[in-house]
Amino acid sequence: MSPMAAIINKNLFLVLSLSLIIGLGHCQCSLKQIAITQTDTGATIHNKPEWKVTIHNVCSCAVLHLKLACSGFQTVEDIDPSVLSISNGECLVNNGQPIYPSNTYSFTYAWDTSFPFKPVYSEVACS
């Protein structure tokens, strides 16, 4: 192989490798990129404070089938199961539908104290 061909092959390899690394990094999202905050709305439901949960997707891709750990979660306020469905200590958010990049999703519940929701599962959908 000529020196010029070796340089071209080496540069081509570097460009392809870098493209692959950048491409993979773009769509790799972790549960750490799901930010959950809670605020007291100031309302009371059956003498319990109402809490607003806001889920923010800071990933550059949509997340689907987001599940939160919610073993022991209680509320006196009805929550539409398409908003938050509870099964075996896990809560499925938004009926498993996408939460798009930089978007938020919110719901409310009422209990004595806020509940420490934590993401435990999601699927990533990059376009």
Side-chain angles (χ1 to χ4, degrees), residues 57-74:
N57 176 13
V58 296
C59 175
S60 60
C61 300
V63 294
L64 300 96
H65 306 290
L66 176 62
K67 292 183 181 180
L68 309 176
C70 63
S71 182
F73 171 68
Q74 297 180 34

Side-chain angles (χ1 to χ4, degrees), residues 43-50 76 110-113:
T44 57
I45 312 292
H46 300 290
N47 296 320
K48 308 270 187 204
E50 182 183 60
V76 294
W111 197 247
D112 294 319
T113 58

Side-chain angles (χ1 to χ4, degrees), residues 29-32 34 57 59 62-68 119-125:
C29 299
S30 73
L31 293 175
K32 292 178 184 177
I34 304 297
N57 176 13
C59 175
V63 294
L64 300 96
H65 306 290
L66 176 62
K67 292 183 181 180
L68 309 176
V120 292
Y121 177 81
S122 72
E123 294 175 14
V124 178

Side-chain angles (χ1 to χ4, degrees), residues 17-27:
S17 296
L18 185 57
S19 296
L20 182 60
I21 290 168
I22 291 170
L24 287 175
H26 174 71
C27 289

Side-chain angles (χ1 to χ4, degrees), residues 14 31 100:
L14 288 173
L31 293 175
Y100 294 100

Side-chain angles (χ1 to χ4, degrees), residues 49-100:
E50 182 183 60
W51 302 93
K52 180 180 181 181
V53 178
T54 302
I55 300 167
H56 183 78
N57 176 13
V58 296
C59 175
S60 60
C61 300
V63 294
L64 300 96
H65 306 290
L66 176 62
K67 292 183 181 180
L68 309 176
C70 63
S71 182
F73 171 68
Q74 297 180 34
T75 181
V76 294
E77 182 175 9
D78 289 336
I79 301 176
D80 181 338
S82 69
V83 171
L84 189 75
S85 63
I86 304 166
S87 178
N88 297 322
E90 291 184 342
C91 292
L92 180 65
V93 176
N94 193 26
N95 212 27
Q97 296 301 305
I99 300 173
Y100 294 100

